[in-house]
Amino acid sequence: MDKIVSSAADAIADIAPGAVVAIAGFGVPHRWPSTLVIALREAGTSDLTVVCNALGMGPLSPHILAENRQVSRLIAAFSTVAGMPSVAEEQIAAGQMAFELVPQGTLVERLRAAGAGIGAFYTRTGVGTPVADGKETREIDGVPYVLETALPVDVALIRARQADAAGNVAFAGASQNFAPSFARGASLTIVEADEIVPIGAIPPERVDLPGIFVDRVVASAVGSALTPQMMAAAQRQQAPIDQARSYLGRPGLSRELMALRTARLLRPGSYVNLGIGMPTLVGNFLFESDVTLHAENGILGYGASVDLEQADPDLYNAGGQLVTALPGASFFDSVAAFEMARGGHVDTVILGGFQVDAAGNLANWSTPQMAGGGVGGAMDLVAGGAELIVLMEHADRGGNPKVLRQCSYPLTGVGCVDVIVTDLALIRVTPGGLVLEEVAPGFTPQEVASLTDAPLIVPDTVPDMV
């Protein structure tokens, strides 16, 4: 059995116009099957439905297919990230690309189900949000669930560290992400490998994807090393450490101080997920703590972010930041990562937010300015019942309050928020309302209440933050 194909052009030659193509990869620069994507662009195959986490950015990502007007429909967890314009967003807004938003955990589970011969499944992810609109919902043991159908695809394009002629695959570090589930859900799976090795060179216990799920193997012609330009694009997804925002003519807390206060809320011995954007800064203050960090792309036990010169390109968190793997770390795919989250094994989740309201509802994936949006794994993360801390500025850039009586943006989760940390306050969500527990130095509780749309319960004594 020999599944090796001589060129990427030959490997993708029979992908027909109108095909549904799943392309694995994570973040902006990480582990795209770039040789195959470039070959598909050069073939000019049109009217594609692309299934992915996001289209990424730059000349090595599926972004180039949208740029070349080859994508008519996008099924993804992101069409954009707030503050980052994208070709996909432009085409969605112009009616040139259809868009179906699917939370990351639901996306990988739909592909996995297709490969397992399971037609549909019930999930708590998306209950009470626009993702559930038009879908069957059902109570099981008193808990509401949404019915999601399997998502079979025509072709999956994935990248691996090693593959052999039998199609056995080994991934590197935290780079499995969507690849195993995408391969299982496809009628035809094409693997681009950095190294093609003889059959038997990958020990059986090191095979991450058995050859039965793989149809073709081609050697990668594009290196996996991250360039400064690629990492600069990735870092633009992250919230910069900026100067403190001013309220009533005085500065609130800087983002670093907000992250420090949030880090102090974490319990020793807990498993914690940090959302993209500002929450990633919390990781900078956990060096001496007994906290284990979890990321949706498939790593448990990662450490501090590192510079490009010191980095392993296959060690990164869900925000695409290059990190270290601590002693005792483990790697897995996104299916397992979301089993940990939805199954209640993650203790605390820290997410950014556009809005939080008095009922503890969270909105953090779309604004009226977005044609699509970017939910990522947030809906899955809040569905598991973990403690949820929302880290965000007290007001948006227009000065509008973000802690509201009722969210006006599409919801990420219903009644899921436990604590809100802003640059002005620490607020706890309770059955009786929002309790103001701490205020930023230099501000009074009354001033914070005046800058908050939702009513606050103000104790007799409210200490300073940090």
Side-chain angles (χ1 to χ4, degrees):
M1 182 179 296
D2 188 349
K3 298 181 179 182
I4 298 174
V5 180
S6 60
S7 71
D10 290 340
I12 60 91
D14 56 353
I15 298 179
V20 181
V21 181
I23 306 176
F26 210 92
V28 172
H30 300 290
R31 282 291 174 183
W32 294 112
S34 302
T35 305
L36 294 169
V37 169
I38 291 168
L40 191 57
R41 183 197 59 185
E42 292 175 349
T45 312
S46 62
D47 194 27
L48 296 173
T49 293
V50 171
V51 180
C52 59
N53 178 40
L55 288 172
M57 292 180 64
L60 303 180
S61 73
H63 162 85
I64 63 176
L65 301 177
E67 198 173 50
N68 204 36
R69 304 282 178 172
Q70 292 173 254
V71 182
S72 60
R73 186 178 183 215
L74 176 65
I75 302 174
F78 292 95
S79 65
T80 187
V81 175
M84 292 180 65
S86 71
V87 169
E89 274 285 285
E90 294 172 4
Q91 293 180 14
I92 293 165
Q96 299 162 349
M97 180 188 294
F99 178 55
E100 179 183 351
L101 180 88
V102 185
Q104 278 179 6
T106 298
L107 185 60
V108 292
E109 199 67 23
R110 289 178 68 188
L111 272 291
R112 188 202 66 80
I118 297 171
F121 58 90
Y122 287 99
T123 178
R124 287 176 291 174
T125 300
V127 170
T129 77
V131 164
D133 290 349
K135 297 175 183 175
E136 178 188 336
T137 58
R138 178 179 177 181
E139 274 201 8
I140 303 174
D141 294 332
V143 178
Y145 289 80
V146 177
L147 183 69
E148 295 283 359
T149 57
L151 179 57
V153 300
D154 299 315
V155 184
L157 307 180
I158 69 175
R159 184 169 189 158
R161 178 172 58 87
Q162 291 181 326
D164 63 23
N168 295 309
V169 167
F171 297 103
S175 288
Q176 293 188 48
N177 54 69
F178 286 44
S181 59
F182 279 17
R184 288 176 168 89
S187 298
L188 172 70
T189 295
I190 308 173
V191 173
E192 169 183 335
D194 293 340
E195 182 185 9
I196 296 178
V197 298
I199 293 176
I202 305 174
E205 67 274 14
R206 299 293 297 167
V207 172
D208 297 312
L209 181 68
I212 195 170
F213 294 112
V214 174
D215 300 284
R216 298 172 189 168
V217 175
V218 65
S220 177
V222 178
S224 62
L226 301 179
T227 67
Q229 292 78 16
M230 292 166 69
M231 283 312 302
Q235 296 307 317
R236 284 197 294 271
Q237 290 191 85
Q238 307 306 314
I241 302 175
D242 62 356
Q243 294 183 341
R245 187 171 294 180
S246 291
Y247 301 85
L248 304 176
R250 281 161 279 157
L253 296 182
S254 69
R255 290 182 171 183
E256 280 191 304
L257 289 176
M258 293 164 64
L260 173 61
R261 182 64 190 93
T262 303
R264 290 175 174 170
L265 293 172
L266 301 178
R267 299 180 299 277
S270 59
Y271 294 100
V272 177
N273 181 284
L274 304 179
I276 65 172
M278 203 188 309
T280 62
L281 300 177
V282 175
N284 296 335
F285 301 100
L286 299 178
F287 303 123
E288 302 297 326
S289 68
D290 181 23
V291 168
T292 302
L293 294 179
H294 163 276
E296 303 94 292
N297 56 304
I299 182 171
L300 185 68
Y302 69 88
S305 58
V306 294
D307 294 332
L308 181 61
E309 295 74 22
Q310 306 166 296
D312 179 336
D314 291 302
L315 294 182
Y316 51 92
N317 61 21
Q321 293 175 312
L322 296 166
V323 295
T324 56
L326 300 177
S330 56
F331 303 125
F332 36 87
D333 72 347
S334 291
V335 170
F338 285 108
E339 288 172 346
M340 297 172 189
R342 289 192 310 269
H345 305 286
V346 174
D347 298 299
T348 300
V349 173
I350 304 174
L351 296 176
F354 295 150
Q355 296 176 339
V356 176
D357 68 22
N361 300 321
L362 169 66
N364 80 340
W365 65 270
S366 184
T367 70
Q369 292 73 40
M370 295 181 181
V375 72
M379 286 188 184
D380 299 277
L381 292 168
V382 305
E387 175 190 39
L388 177 59
I389 302 171
V390 174
L391 180 59
M392 64 182 188
E393 268 125 358
H394 208 83
D396 63 22
R397 294 190 182 279
N400 303 300
K402 297 174 71 171
V403 182
L404 306 174
R405 295 173 184 270
Q406 184 174 359
C407 291
S408 59
Y409 293 170
L411 294 184
T412 304
V414 176
C416 55
V417 180
D418 295 290
V419 180
I420 308 164
V421 177
T422 77
D423 47 355
L424 291 184
L426 190 155
I427 300 168
R428 193 167 298 273
V429 182
T430 74
L434 302 182
V435 178
L436 181 63
E437 292 194 348
E438 299 176 11
V439 296
F443 290 86
T444 67
Q446 293 71 30
E447 288 172 329
V448 171
S450 73
L451 295 164
T452 308
D453 178 67
L456 297 178
I457 299 169
V458 181
D460 292 338
T461 301
V462 180
D464 284 350
M465 298 174 72
V466 184

